[in-house]
Amino acid sequence: MAQTSSTGTHATPTLGMVEFVALMASLTSLVALSIDAMLPALSQIGDALGVTDPHQPHLIVSVFFAGMAIGQLFFGPYADSRGRREALLLGLIIFCVGTVICMLAESLEMMLVGRVVQAFGVSGPRIAAMAIIRDLYVGEGMAKVMSFIMMVFILVPMLAPIVGQTVMLLASWWHIFTLFLGVAVLTGSWFFARQPETLPASRRRPFSWRPFAASSRFILTHNSVMGYTVAMGFIFGSFLAYISASATIFQEFYGVGELFPLVFATLAFSIGLASFFNGHMVMKFGMSPLCRIALKGVVGFAVIFNVLIAYYDGLPPLLLTIGIMFTGFFFVGILFGNLNAMAMQPLGNMAGLGAAIIGSLSSLFSVPIALFIDSFITTNLYPIGLGFLCFFILALVSVRLAEKARLEEHGDTA
């Protein structure tokens, strides 16, 4: 059943659906580009910066999400008080500053500082894009838009490692950061040329600590919002552990070498395929039923994956590993767009702050989970498999509690 919201007055879309989806996906995909283009370069960056612990280069990916957790808390209220366009502009400027710091880094510590600044800045475009989508769409309509955006967005994780490796072959890992600067400038120029402000001055919330605390309290004590948010943290935490360690898994454990970007792209395509499927199915079946099916799917995948890992003494054959992960990641792709839309739905005019708290909390949950799982990785897939199983089960429990709370709060059976 399609859902609507009575909270807030929605702006009218001015761009065609195709351009709007492409623009929003480009803005949000700056996050994925900043992460996945780095994956083939982690070992080389570690060598260039004198790192001896093989686990430490993984921090170049993990700390990015910690920076985003902080940045989203800033840009959420900023987007609600100063408008979406100003938040996006400030975020892009900070992102470029962080990129320059990374380019000048001569130690891992300075590189990590630059990555945190980068992540803080990229939170601006991400929050602005999410708030714009919430300004224009609601309920299953929002879930549909989010799924199509995810479908375009997923092309970046598919292509980014290939792009990063190509840059390294033609020049060096240092010029991956040059690429980031170019993409930020081009995407920002497109946005400011085409997308009007969606939060008029009459609907803005001037920042003050009392309303901020009241809005935050409303969101943090909203059981269904928090249930879906925690579930996203569990799911993404285990998935982030895989992303951070993917180069190690496929290049070192399986020895795929320069084929790593193609393997990574194949698995990322599964999530894009799921998003395409979800974009068509969500209007017919609703978000909640699809989430229930997908959660059962990811738990089932994790159980089978762990059985295979045990049977093959920690390292199943490459093609079997790719096949089972492709199937499991399809269910993960269904969850990403729907859980975020379900968490955002009750927040109305608090879209900016809501996106900030939801994104920040899910990141704060996911980073320690990923670091914990990755700390056990040595020469096999046991940590990844057990991480999937434990945290997918916890996500299933969290969603069930969120749905129970939603029924109690609103009597919504969608």
Side-chain angles (χ1 to χ4, degrees):
M1 183 177 73
Q3 295 173 344
T4 59
S5 174
S6 59
T7 51
T9 303
H10 296 283
T12 302
T14 56
L15 298 181
M17 179 62 74
V18 173
E19 183 179 3
F20 180 77
V21 167
L23 178 57
M24 294 300 108
S26 297
L27 291 170
T28 55
S29 67
L30 192 56
V31 175
L33 178 66
S34 301
I35 297 164
D36 297 322
M38 303 296 297
L39 295 177
L42 292 182
S43 61
Q44 289 194 21
I45 294 174
D47 292 341
L49 299 179
V51 177
T52 57
D53 185 344
H55 289 95
Q56 286 189 337
H58 294 176
L59 294 172
I60 294 173
V61 173
S62 301
V63 300
F64 196 87
F65 290 92
M68 283 190 63
I70 301 169
Q72 288 175 104
L73 287 178
F74 170 80
F75 280 107
Y78 194 91
D80 282 344
S81 63
R82 304 297 293 269
R84 315 315 189 194
R85 285 164 65 92
E86 188 171 324
L88 188 139
L89 176 61
L90 179 61
L92 286 176
I93 291 172
I94 296 174
F95 173 79
C96 290
V97 171
T99 302
V100 172
I101 293 174
C102 291
M103 297 172 79
L104 299 176
E106 296 182 352
S107 66
L108 179 63
E109 291 75 16
M110 185 55 66
M111 174 65 71
L112 296 181
V113 169
R115 291 290 282 172
V116 170
V117 175
Q118 263 193 323
F120 185 97
V122 84
S123 302
R126 183 189 183 282
I127 287 295
M130 291 295 299
I132 288 169
I133 295 165
R134 182 61 179 83
D135 289 340
L136 300 176
Y137 299 96
V138 67
E140 264 77 27
M142 181 180 177
K144 180 179 181 179
V145 172
M146 286 296 298
S147 291
F148 285 132
I149 287 174
M150 180 66 74
M151 185 178 64
V152 178
F153 167 86
I154 207 62
L155 291 174
V156 176
M158 289 175 62
L159 298 176
I162 299 174
V163 172
Q165 186 161 294
T166 301
V167 171
M168 291 166 59
L169 291 173
L170 296 177
S172 71
W173 62 263
W174 189 86
H175 284 288
I176 295 175
F177 294 106
T178 305
L179 173 69
F180 294 163
L181 291 176
V183 171
V185 171
L186 290 175
T187 306
S189 299
W190 179 15
F191 175 85
F192 285 101
R194 296 289 294 157
Q195 176 62 54
E197 177 62 64
T198 58
L199 187 70
S202 61
R203 291 178 54 211
R204 295 179 188 177
R205 296 166 170 259
F207 181 80
S208 65
W209 285 109
R210 182 173 295 178
F212 174 79
S215 298
S216 298
R217 185 162 51 252
F218 172 81
I219 295 169
L220 292 171
T221 57
H222 199 291
N223 292 332
S224 63
V225 172
M226 286 297 97
Y228 295 128
T229 301
V230 169
M232 283 191 289
F234 286 142
I235 292 168
F236 192 67
S238 56
F239 193 70
L240 176 58
Y242 153 75
I243 293 175
S244 300
S246 59
T248 298
I249 291 170
F250 292 113
Q251 289 181 325
E252 297 183 16
F253 295 179
Y254 286 106
V256 300
E258 294 183 358
L259 292 177
F260 163 68
L262 295 179
V263 174
F264 192 87
T266 299
L267 294 175
F269 175 72
S270 175
I271 297 179
L273 188 65
S275 298
F276 179 80
F277 170 83
N278 188 72
H280 285 83
M281 293 295 105
V282 71
M283 297 299 289
K284 182 176 181 180
F285 296 106
M287 294 179 285
S288 292
L290 287 176
C291 277
R292 293 187 199 109
I293 294 171
L295 284 164
K296 292 176 182 177
V298 294
V299 172
F301 146 71
V303 171
I304 295 171
F305 191 35
N306 277 278
V307 170
L308 290 173
I309 292 171
Y311 182 80
Y312 286 100
D313 295 323
L315 204 64
L318 176 61
L319 292 180
L320 186 58
T321 296
I322 293 173
I324 188 66
M325 281 187 168
F326 189 95
T327 303
F329 290 175
F330 180 86
F331 293 112
V332 171
I334 293 176
L335 291 171
F336 277 156
N338 285 333
L339 288 177
N340 194 81
M342 292 166 76
M344 287 285 291
Q345 180 150 345
L347 303 184
N349 287 341
M350 292 182 238
L353 181 59
I357 292 179
I358 290 169
S360 179
L361 285 180
S362 60
S363 293
L364 288 174
F365 268 87
S366 66
V367 172
I369 290 171
L371 293 175
F372 175 74
I373 294 172
D374 282 348
S375 69
F376 292 98
I377 293 177
T378 53
T379 59
N380 57 62
L381 297 182
Y382 280 116
I384 294 294
L386 291 173
F388 281 148
L389 180 61
C390 293
F391 291 105
F392 286 165
I393 290 174
L394 288 173
L396 174 63
V397 173
S398 296
V399 169
R400 287 186 174 177
L401 292 174
E403 290 192 332
K404 180 180 179 181
R406 178 167 61 85
L407 291 173
E408 292 174 350
E409 292 163 355
H410 303 293
D412 186 354
T413 59

